[in-house]
């Protein structure tokens, strides 16, 4: 067999040296001196808190996005041995020697560095030359704001990486020969990247939808191709749907599955979730409710939590204080015992479920469960007053009825203390009322009004607790009407003194109760979309229209004693080029379309398709990542513009090549050469000025070298920029 082996063995490989060069430069600009500054920089204070909670496996909600981004940051921290024991309480706080700052920032920096070669490869897949690809890579490489955003524990660079990877791999699939089965690997990678982009930040959804539109247009064209058999068209279409729709959706759910499996401990955000969700976490509510009876029975002692009390929970409550005889506005009250909603655990939150036809307040053996539609009375555990409502205006919401603990003053106000149990999330008509799982409305039998939390705080006479009312004009599906039994035990003491001692004792026995992943997933989705953190006006917040002209900047970090500082400031020349190319493309597209409508084809069909594809991806990418911000009512920052900007950096060199190759050829031969040379000289001059501007702003990009106050003033190219310095 030795004769079969031809020597020498030769391996030939094609290496794109330009790609290698821009990749090395990207790694150098993003990864060098990554541990500097050794202090918390801008939004690291925000993401760091979540990383610490990950390290401790404590549940949290971040309304700004899904969990994959946090998982990636937490993985970087894990690689560096971070234990979560660092308090992220202020920007500029020094990291202790025990925290590996390099590993915290490594993964965003890697993603930021990989965006540069991806920009190069994506331009090639848009069918432009290696020179254009180099131009796109250089624009991405020398963009100061992208460098700053990549070098810290932030998520924009991760989002941009996955978005560029999704488009590159989709176009690589689309451009590959249709006979090649290996091209479907690219389609799967594109679907995975889309799922990852949406999993990092919800803004990734817009780029994903754009990619779906481009893929749909390509599929529509495929369906119209008569040279392909019906069977082949069906197979190809199904592959596209599986890879670009099913895979991202499954991945999105998978990120939450990992997130919820990993974060299984109770923490500061529990209160935002339902009682059932909280009971599934270790510690917290599960510690209190473990081993409670599931079915609410006559004689049960319960605490009733309002389903709407956000972000702070509150429980139906009463105490030995009456409503004032007259309110501040002179209106009279019933002077009955106050019933409120109290945001703290308290012995006065306990109520006893009583059968109206019997006197006893203990549970029978066997227990008689309360069912949907049953009429009950609610007795306040500590004061033995019945929960009552009547045709008296509520103290703060006079269009609704007052709710009180009934006291018989012999003033012709009879007790109206019967309530019908309405289980809103029941599955069967005779459903039993369940602890934690059932959402219940209590309908006042005499007036048909529903017990609800109005959400208004009572004045000092009501200890600033929240008002509870009975409302006749209720919306059918308002969560302010629903109550959940949170703590529950079977009452065993008929005598008041013994019962008070029983109510003061803890409730739990060791057993566990589970809630399904899908129930947790749906609830967490809903909470992330509806629960908004307090929006506050930020010193460095800005409006989207200020981003285009970069009228704004963000101070990310300032040294505690010197003038060394880091700012999110873009490369002004690059931003100018990006804006010009956006405008030029739109003007050119309008001219082309009008002339084509008149039957004048300025460019061959292949070139026109290339031009349209460039617009769909780059101008479309800019639009879907910029326009939504104009409609958002939230605090916005300059870094929100970076994904949109990256698309324009891909557009600029490609448009220049199009002009060079196809627009200048109409000129006279001699002029044609002159114009082409002028264009090349102009392009080189612009590239040189981009490089010089990048170098000029490097001290604000990397935080070193330290500049004098005079030099810093010289970098304030716009009056609206906020550059800080100490005069010395």
């Amino acid at each position: 067999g030795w004769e079969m082996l031809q020597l020498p063995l030769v391996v030939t490989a094609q290496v794109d040296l330009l790609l290698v060069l821009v990749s090395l430069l990207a790694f150098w600009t993003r990864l060098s001196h990554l541990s500097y500054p050794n202090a918390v920089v801008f939004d690291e204070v925000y993401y760091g808190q979540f990383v610490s909670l990950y390290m401790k496996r404590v549940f949290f909600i971040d309304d700004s996005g899904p969990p994959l981004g946090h998982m990636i940051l937490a993985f970087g921290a894990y690689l560096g041995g971070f234990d979560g024991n660092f308090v992220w309480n202020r920007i500029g706080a020094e990291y202790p020697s025990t925290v590996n700052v390099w590993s915290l920032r490594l993964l965003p920096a890697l993603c930021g560095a990989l965006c540069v070669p991806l920009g190069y490869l994506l331009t090639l897949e848009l069918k432009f030359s290696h020179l254009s690809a180099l131009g796109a890579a250089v624009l991405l490489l020398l963009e100061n704001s992208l460098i700053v955003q990549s070098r810290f524990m932030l998520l924009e660079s991760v989002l941009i990486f996955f978005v560029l990877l999704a488009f590159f791999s989709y176009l690589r699939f689309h451009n590959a020969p249709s006979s090649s089965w290996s091209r479907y690997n690219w389609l799967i990678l594109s679907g995975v990247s889309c799922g990852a982009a949406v999993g990092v930040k919800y803004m990734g959804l817009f780029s994903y939808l754009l990619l779906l539109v481009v893929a749909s247009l390509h599929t529509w064209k495929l369906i119209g191709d008569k040279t392909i058999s019906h069977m082949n068209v069906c197979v190809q279409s199904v592959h596209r749907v599986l890879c670009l729709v099913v895979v991202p959706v499954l991945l999105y759910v998978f990120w939450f599955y990992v997130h919820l499996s990993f974060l299984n401990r109770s923490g500061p955000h529990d209160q935002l979730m339902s009682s059932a969700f909280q009971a599934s976490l270790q510690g917290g509510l599960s510690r209190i409710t473990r081993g409670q009876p599931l079915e609410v029975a006559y004689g049960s002692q319960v605490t009733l939590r309002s389903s709407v009390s956000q972000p702070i929970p509150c429980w139906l409550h009463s105490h030995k204080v009456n409503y004032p005889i007259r309110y501040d506005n002179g209106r009279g009250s019933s002077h009955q015992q106050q019933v409120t909603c109290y945001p703290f655990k308290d012995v006065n939150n306990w109520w006893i479920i009583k059968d109206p036809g019997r006197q006893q307040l203990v549970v029978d053996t066997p227990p008689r469960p309360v069912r949907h539609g049953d009429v009950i009375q609610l007795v306040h555990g500590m004061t033995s007053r019945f929960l009552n409502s009547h045709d008296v205006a509520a103290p703060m919401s006079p269009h609704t009825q007052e709710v009180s603990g009934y006291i018989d003053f012999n003033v012709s106000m009879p007790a109206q203390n019967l309530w019908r149990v309405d289980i809103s999330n029941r599955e069967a008509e005779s459903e039993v009322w369940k602890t934690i799982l059932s959402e219940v409305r209590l309908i006042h039998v005499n007036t048909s009004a529903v017990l609800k939390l109005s959400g208004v705080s009572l004045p000092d006479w009501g200890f600033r607790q929240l008002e509870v009312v009975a409302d006749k004009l209720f919306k059918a599906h308002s969560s302010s009407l629903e109550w959940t039994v949170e703590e529950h035990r079977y009452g065993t003491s008929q005598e008041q003194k013994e019962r008070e001692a029983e109510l003061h004792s803890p409730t739990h026995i060791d057993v566990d109760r589970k809630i399904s992943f899908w129930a947790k997933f749906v609830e967490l989705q809903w909470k992330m979309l509806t629960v908004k953190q307090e929006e506050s006006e930020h010193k460095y917040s800005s409006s989207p229209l200020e981003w285009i002209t970069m009228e704004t900047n963000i101070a990310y970090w300032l040294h505690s004693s010197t003038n060394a500082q880091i700012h999110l400031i873009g490369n002004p020349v690059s931003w100018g080029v990006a804006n010009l190319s956006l405008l030029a493309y739109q003007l050119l597209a309008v001219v082309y379309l009008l002339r084509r409508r008149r039957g004048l084809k300025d460019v061959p069909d292949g070139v026109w398709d290339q031009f349209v594809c460039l617009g769909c991806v780059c101008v479309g990418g800019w639009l879907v990542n910029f326009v939504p911000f104009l409609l958002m009512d939230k605090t916005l920052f300059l870094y929100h513009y970076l994904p949109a900007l990256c698309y324009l950096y891909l557009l600029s060199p490609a448009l220049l090549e199009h002009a060079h190759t196809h627009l200048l050829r109409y000129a006279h031969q001699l002029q044609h050469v002159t114009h082409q040379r002028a264009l090349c000289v102009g392009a080189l001059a612009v590239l040189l000025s981009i490089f010089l501007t990048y170098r000029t702003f490097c001290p604000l990009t990397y935080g070193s070298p330290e500049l004098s106050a005079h030099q810093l003033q010289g970098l304030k190219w716009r009056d609206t920029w906020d550059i800080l310095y100490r005069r010395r």
Side-chain angles (χ1 to χ4, degrees):
W2 284 106
E3 297 81 25
M4 300 292 289
L5 191 60
Q6 292 289 313
L7 291 174
L9 291 171
V10 178
V11 175
T12 52
Q14 283 188 316
V15 177
D16 187 337
L17 289 175
L18 282 179
L19 180 61
V20 172
L21 178 67
V22 294
S23 302
L24 290 173
L25 288 171
F27 281 107
W28 181 64
T29 53
R30 270 74 175 168
L31 287 163
S32 58
H33 303 105
L34 200 54
S35 304
Y36 178 84
N38 187 42
V40 178
V41 173
F42 198 60
D43 267 357
E44 286 189 337
V45 78
Y46 178 74
Y47 291 113
Q49 295 168 22
F50 299 129
V51 168
S52 282
L53 291 172
Y54 250 107
M55 294 298 114
K56 294 174 184 295
R57 303 188 67 171
V58 168
F59 172 76
F60 65 84
I61 292 185
D62 175 19
D63 67 335
S64 71
L68 179 63
H70 299 307
M71 286 192 233
I72 289 171
L73 296 180
F75 182 63
Y78 170 76
L79 292 177
F82 181 55
D83 57 5
N85 291 323
F86 177 72
V87 182
W88 311 82
N89 56 358
R90 66 181 179 87
I91 297 169
E94 291 281 324
Y95 286 114
S97 56
T98 50
V99 175
N100 185 337
V101 182
W102 189 82
S103 84
L104 289 180
R105 296 172 179 168
L106 175 63
L107 295 180
L110 277 175
C111 289
L114 290 169
C115 290
V116 176
L118 269 177
Y120 181 94
L121 293 167
L122 184 48
T123 308
L124 293 181
E125 292 306 323
L126 287 165
K127 299 183 178 170
F128 288 89
S129 67
H130 285 270
L131 202 57
S132 287
L134 179 65
V138 167
L139 285 172
L140 291 168
L141 178 73
L142 299 179
E143 174 48 55
N144 300 67
S145 58
L146 286 176
I147 296 173
V148 170
Q149 201 67 13
S150 300
R151 288 174 55 82
F152 302 109
M153 194 171 57
L154 310 168
L155 289 179
E156 263 62 33
S157 61
V158 183
L159 171 66
I160 294 166
F161 166 72
F162 282 123
V163 164
L164 292 179
L165 182 60
F167 272 101
F168 160 67
S169 39
Y170 173 74
L171 290 173
R172 173 60 70 92
F173 155 79
H174 177 68
N175 294 336
S178 54
S179 56
S180 156
W181 275 96
S182 63
R183 73 191 188 124
Y184 283 102
N185 294 334
W186 290 109
L187 191 63
I188 293 168
L189 178 60
S190 181
V192 169
S193 305
C194 289
V198 179
V200 168
K201 279 203 161 193
Y202 280 130
M203 274 312 295
L205 183 65
F206 298 114
S207 291
Y208 170 49
L209 293 176
L210 176 68
L211 190 138
L212 282 184
V213 168
V214 172
S216 304
L217 293 173
H218 286 156
T219 310
W220 188 245
K221 208 169 178 181
L222 175 84
I223 292 168
D225 189 344
K226 298 278 178 50
T227 62
I228 303 174
S229 70
H230 294 336
M231 188 63 187
N232 198 348
V233 167
C234 285
V235 168
Q236 291 213 41
S237 303
V238 167
H239 276 142
R240 283 166 162 81
V241 170
L242 284 174
C243 294
L244 295 181
V245 179
V246 177
V247 166
V249 168
L250 289 177
L251 273 177
Y252 180 77
V253 174
F254 177 69
W255 309 139
F256 278 93
Y257 180 77
V258 175
H259 179 70
L260 289 169
S261 303
F262 196 75
L263 303 185
N264 58 2
R265 292 180 184 159
S266 147
H269 292 183
D270 292 13
Q271 307 288 25
L272 298 172
M273 310 308 289
S274 70
S275 303
F277 194 108
Q278 290 183 53
S280 71
L281 299 169
Q282 288 178 19
L285 184 63
S286 70
R287 202 176 62 246
I288 298 166
T289 59
R290 200 170 286 157
Q292 291 185 161
L294 178 62
E295 296 186 346
V296 176
Y298 291 104
S300 281
Q301 298 171 353
V302 299
T303 63
L304 289 160
R305 172 176 154 150
S306 167
S307 297
V308 78
S309 44
Q310 301 297 4
I312 298 163
C314 78
W315 292 268
L316 189 67
H317 176 95
S318 186
H319 40 238
K320 281 185 181 168
V321 182
N322 295 357
Y323 289 112
I325 295 174
R326 293 211 171 270
Y327 298 123
D328 294 344
N329 60 7
R331 190 161 52 85
S333 85
S334 66
H335 196 46
Q336 302 264 322
Q337 183 169 301
Q338 294 178 14
V339 171
T340 64
C341 206
Y342 187 54
F344 300 98
K345 301 273 184 187
D346 187 278
V347 73
N348 279 314
N349 298 348
W350 285 96
W351 296 82
I352 300 159
I353 312 283
K354 179 181 171 297
D355 181 345
R358 303 172 68 182
Q359 281 305 308
Q360 69 186 56
L361 295 175
V362 295
V363 174
D364 292 344
T365 321
R368 285 191 305 128
V370 180
R371 298 179 181 277
H372 170 72
D374 285 2
V375 172
I376 62 166
Q377 290 172 314
L378 281 162
V379 181
H380 187 240
M382 296 303 287
T383 63
S384 297
R385 301 287 181 203
F386 284 81
L387 186 73
N388 186 77
S389 185
H390 39 218
D391 198 10
V392 175
M396 309 306 291
S397 311
H399 54 284
T400 60
Q401 291 176 190
E402 177 191 270
V403 173
S404 63
Y406 182 73
I407 306 171
D408 187 0
F409 288 127
N410 293 322
V411 285
S412 71
M413 285 190 80
Q416 298 182 27
N417 54 25
L418 299 179
W419 300 86
R420 193 170 67 254
V421 174
D422 180 88
I423 303 172
S424 56
N425 63 343
R426 68 188 182 281
E427 288 167 13
E429 212 34 60
S430 63
E431 182 89 62
V432 171
W433 185 358
K434 296 189 184 77
T435 310
I436 286 178
L437 304 175
S438 296
E439 289 178 353
V440 171
R441 293 165 191 204
L442 295 167
I443 300 169
H444 190 235
V445 172
N446 295 67
T447 61
S448 299
V450 180
L451 185 75
K452 79 175 246 189
L453 170 68
S454 76
V456 183
S457 290
L458 296 169
D460 290 341
W461 55 255
F463 311 103
R464 301 274 167 200
Q465 293 174 16
L466 299 177
E467 180 190 44
V468 172
V469 299
D471 192 359
K472 287 180 183 175
L473 303 168
F474 57 86
K475 294 190 182 72
H477 294 291
S478 169
S479 57
S480 61
L481 309 170
E482 286 166 355
W483 301 82
T484 308
V485 169
E486 194 168 87
E487 294 181 65
H488 174 212
R489 62 178 147 213
Y490 286 159
T492 56
S493 311
Q494 182 69 22
E495 292 302 315
Q496 174 72 15
K497 286 276 177 251
E498 292 168 16
R499 194 163 62 243
E500 285 182 21
E502 188 177 0
L503 291 172
H504 276 289
S505 66
T507 52
H508 71 267
I509 334 157
D510 279 353
V511 188
D512 214 350
R513 188 172 308 136
K514 290 278 184 285
I515 171 177
S516 74
F517 161 70
W518 288 108
K520 290 171 80 170
F521 172 74
V522 169
E523 183 181 341
L524 185 54
Q525 285 300 295
W526 179 244
K527 282 289 186 286
M528 285 171 65
L529 294 171
T530 55
V531 172
K532 286 289 165 215
Q533 311 291 342
E534 283 299 307
E535 289 291 343
S536 55
E537 194 56 38
H538 193 283
K539 183 183 179 184
Y540 290 107
S541 62
S542 50
S543 72
L545 294 175
E546 291 176 303
W547 303 340
I548 298 178
T549 49
M550 206 168 55
E551 283 176 41
T552 176
N553 71 311
I554 307 176
Y556 267 18
W557 171 79
L558 177 67
H559 193 280
S560 55
S561 56
T562 72
N563 269 333
Q565 54 193 288
I566 293 174
H567 286 257
L568 187 76
I569 292 184
N571 186 319
V573 180
S574 306
W575 285 51
V577 168
N579 292 336
L580 277 175
S581 59
L582 178 65
L583 198 61
Y585 183 92
Q586 290 168 323
L587 289 172
L588 192 55
V590 169
V591 171
Y592 274 161
L593 285 167
L594 290 173
R595 287 176 63 83
R596 287 177 85 81
R597 192 73 189 136
R598 299 293 299 160
L600 301 165
K601 290 196 175 180
D602 298 307
V603 290
D605 285 344
V607 175
W608 171 248
D609 287 346
Q610 180 197 34
F611 182 78
V612 169
C613 186
L614 177 70
C616 282
V617 173
C618 297
V619 178
W622 179 83
L623 282 170
V624 299
N625 281 283
F626 177 72
V627 173
F629 286 116
L630 295 171
L631 312 173
M632 282 184 194
D633 182 26
K634 60 178 270 186
T635 310
L636 298 172
F637 297 93
L638 182 62
Y639 58 73
H640 284 123
Y641 185 59
L642 296 181
L645 182 70
C646 288
Y647 285 102
L648 296 187
Y649 285 167
L650 301 177
L651 175 69
S652 306
L655 193 61
L656 191 68
E657 182 188 327
H658 179 85
H660 180 271
T661 313
H662 302 290
L663 291 185
L664 297 183
R665 65 189 173 85
Y666 295 114
H668 185 272
Q669 187 61 40
L670 193 64
Q671 284 180 319
H672 173 63
V673 174
T674 313
H675 285 166
Q676 283 194 329
R677 279 181 184 158
L679 200 63
C680 291
V681 170
L684 284 170
V686 168
L687 276 177
L688 182 63
S689 59
I690 285 172
F691 175 72
L692 292 173
T693 313
Y694 156 76
R695 290 289 305 152
T696 305
F697 282 98
C698 265
L700 296 184
T701 302
Y702 293 98
S704 67
E706 183 205 345
L707 301 181
S708 66
H710 179 69
Q711 287 172 310
L712 284 167
Q713 272 183 311
L715 284 181
K716 195 173 178 180
W717 288 15
R718 302 204 65 144
D719 293 338
T720 49
W721 287 357
D722 186 15
I723 292 178
L724 319 158
Y725 46 83
R726 296 177 173 82
R727 296 186 183 280
R728 284 206 292 259

